[in-house]
Amino acid sequence: MPRIAVYPGSFDPITNGHLDIVRRARRLFDRVILTVAANSSKSSTFSVAERVRLAKACVAGLGGVEVDTFDGLLVDYLRRKGSRVIIRGVRAVSDMEYEFQMASMNRAIYPEVESVFLMPDERYTYLSSSIIKEVARMGAHVEDYLPVPVLAAVKRRFARRKRK
Ligand code: PNS
């Protein structure tokens, strides 16, 4: 049986920090499914289709990694995929409160599930999609933090907004 891990998130958009976690997860599991949450309560900058397209472009060279999307409960998605492992990246202790809440709830509704927390490279400790968007919107250089396909999409998105 291949060991399948699911890496869920908003990925709005995917960053080098997310990709770092994907690579680490892939070292531990045979297949990693990065899945974009379609019904997140957060308002998003990129549509689900755009987020999936960007994530696919970024993981194209990585064997054993797929990109998907899901709606509804994460644990129902895991059951459908035959997975019992949720991957989450944690950057700092402050992330853990939210992560513990989610992991406990997921375990309560799917007792066989394990949440696996991975720490990204230190370069990405302070990285988040929302911070990147905030500074990119104001014209800062974000080349070090975004994969090439995402960089182009972010530039286009904020240039268009400026023109409006
Ligand atoms: O990148 P994010 O926004 O921190 O990801 C959060 C996400 C999408 C993993 C979480 O909100 C989620 O799992 N949503 C699906 C609905 C669900 O199953 N909720 C119960 C988990 S507490």
Side-chain angles (χ1 to χ4, degrees):
M1 281 280 281
R3 292 164 309 158
I4 306 169
V6 170
Y7 179 26
S10 305
F11 302 108
D12 185 37
I14 188 167
T15 66
N16 285 341
H18 295 128
L19 283 178
D20 184 78
I21 296 293
V22 168
R23 288 195 189 91
R24 288 171 197 279
R26 183 60 186 87
R27 284 188 216 140
L28 302 173
F29 298 94
D30 302 313
R31 267 175 71 198
V32 173
I33 309 175
L34 180 158
T35 189
V36 176
N39 63 348
S40 168
S41 49
K42 293 180 188 171
S43 66
S44 58
T45 303
F46 293 93
S47 70
V48 174
E50 283 173 305
R51 285 181 265 158
V52 167
R53 181 184 64 76
L54 291 173
K56 279 188 175 164
C58 297
V59 306
L62 301 177
V65 180
E66 324 158 19
V67 175
D68 196 9
T69 175
F70 77 104
D71 217 340
L73 280 179
L74 174 62
V75 291
D76 288 341
Y77 177 81
L78 264 93
R79 284 197 180 97
R80 289 200 296 278
K81 292 289 169 184
S83 170
R84 292 178 170 184
V85 178
I86 299 171
I87 301 286
R88 294 285 290 171
V90 284
R91 294 158 298 187
V93 177
S94 52
D95 281 343
M96 282 314 288
E97 187 153 347
Y98 171 55
E99 294 301 331
F100 259 72
Q101 274 181 0
M102 281 204 300
S104 309
M105 184 51 74
N106 286 329
R107 182 187 274 173
I109 49 186
Y110 183 13
E112 293 80 16
V113 82
E114 287 299 342
S115 294
V116 174
F117 301 105
L118 297 179
M119 201 178 93
D121 187 279
E122 287 72 21
R123 278 175 296 167
Y124 307 126
T125 300
Y126 298 104
L127 187 56
S128 73
S129 300
S130 31
I131 291 247
I132 298 256
K133 285 185 287 188
E134 182 172 328
V135 297
R137 195 177 284 127
M138 293 172 185
H141 293 285
V142 287
E143 278 76 0
D144 290 347
Y145 306 114
L146 294 179
V148 172
V150 181
L151 195 58
V154 164
K155 280 186 178 164
R156 269 199 310 276
R157 173 59 46 95
F158 295 130
R160 203 183 310 151
R161 286 203 180 152
K162 255 185 223 161
R163 283 201 299 271
K164 273 185 189 168

